[in-house]
Amino acid sequence: AQQGRVREKVYGKQKIYFADQEQLPAASDAELRGLDGEIAARSSQLQALQQSCRHMEAELKDLNSSMTTPEIAREIEALRKDCASYTEKLERIKSATNHVTPEEKEKVCREQQLYRREWRRRKRMATELLDAILEGYPKSKKQFFEEVGIETDEDHGVVLPATV
């Protein structure tokens, strides 16, 4: 600082030292334009490298999320075993001799339809009868069912089967 190469500034108890820029040669306009051109070139180079880096990171992410060759081999082997077991099961079903004939199926469907119709008819009759009793009953329907001991289909989560 005493020789004049470094300048000193005092801020309270602190001292700051920095190079004396007056001793440096002044840059010409041509040098400044050259430096500006170099800055622009380096900035475009930086943007290109950053874009390339983002592209490579995206590619790396895709590769990391995909399966490796040993994992794919294990997956293929597991799928082949599943396929073989399903094929075997299909062959067992095809070779079984206890198939249901269309006549038997039709008979079972008719019986189910008959029982379903009867279930609906009896439920409707019981509901009409209980509604008639409840017209003159002073308490709620739920209290009446509890006193008499009636259990409904809804209490047990039973639903009439759909029509086939």
Side-chain angles (χ1 to χ4, degrees):
Q2 291 174 356
Q3 293 175 0
R5 287 188 272 158
V6 178
R7 296 197 63 188
E8 172 185 35
K9 281 200 176 183
V10 178
Y11 293 102
K13 294 181 179 179
Q14 297 177 348
K15 293 181 181 180
I16 298 176
Y17 295 93
F18 56 92
D20 187 9
Q21 294 184 1
E22 292 176 7
Q23 296 178 0
L24 296 175
S28 67
D29 287 341
E31 287 178 313
L32 290 177
R33 280 192 296 274
L35 290 174
D36 286 342
E38 188 177 336
I39 288 172
R42 301 252 175 156
S43 294
S44 64
Q45 184 182 12
L46 173 66
Q47 288 178 351
L49 287 173
Q50 286 175 334
Q51 178 67 26
S52 174
C53 184
R54 283 192 293 271
H55 177 70
M56 287 181 185
E57 285 175 346
E59 188 176 342
L60 177 64
K61 183 180 175 187
D62 288 344
L63 291 174
N64 284 337
S65 65
S66 64
M67 296 175 78
T68 63
T69 304
E71 289 173 339
I72 290 175
R74 284 193 296 272
E75 184 71 19
I76 289 172
E77 187 60 33
L79 290 173
R80 283 188 177 143
K81 287 180 182 176
D82 288 347
C83 186
S85 69
Y86 289 138
T87 305
E88 180 182 323
K89 186 176 180 180
L90 179 64
E91 290 301 320
R92 279 197 317 263
I93 291 171
K94 283 182 178 179
S95 66
T97 57
N98 59 351
H99 294 292
V100 177
T101 64
E103 295 83 21
E104 290 174 329
K105 180 180 176 186
E106 183 62 33
K107 179 183 174 195
V108 169
C109 287
R110 278 195 312 270
E111 286 178 3
Q112 183 195 27
Q113 191 174 12
L114 174 73
Y115 295 139
R116 187 176 42 246
R117 214 177 304 125
E118 188 66 22
W119 183 359
R120 281 197 176 106
R121 188 179 68 78
R122 289 182 184 191
K123 184 173 181 172
R124 186 178 60 248
M125 288 174 27
T127 304
E128 290 172 358
L129 179 66
L130 290 171
D131 287 343
I133 293 171
L134 285 169
E135 283 180 11
Y137 193 72
K139 296 181 183 175
S140 72
K141 182 177 183 179
K142 186 175 182 180
Q143 289 174 334
F144 174 70
F145 283 8
E146 285 179 14
E147 286 180 12
V148 177
I150 296 174
E151 296 177 352
T152 63
D153 292 339
E154 291 77 17
D155 291 343
H156 294 282
V158 177
V159 180
L160 281 169
T163 306
V164 179

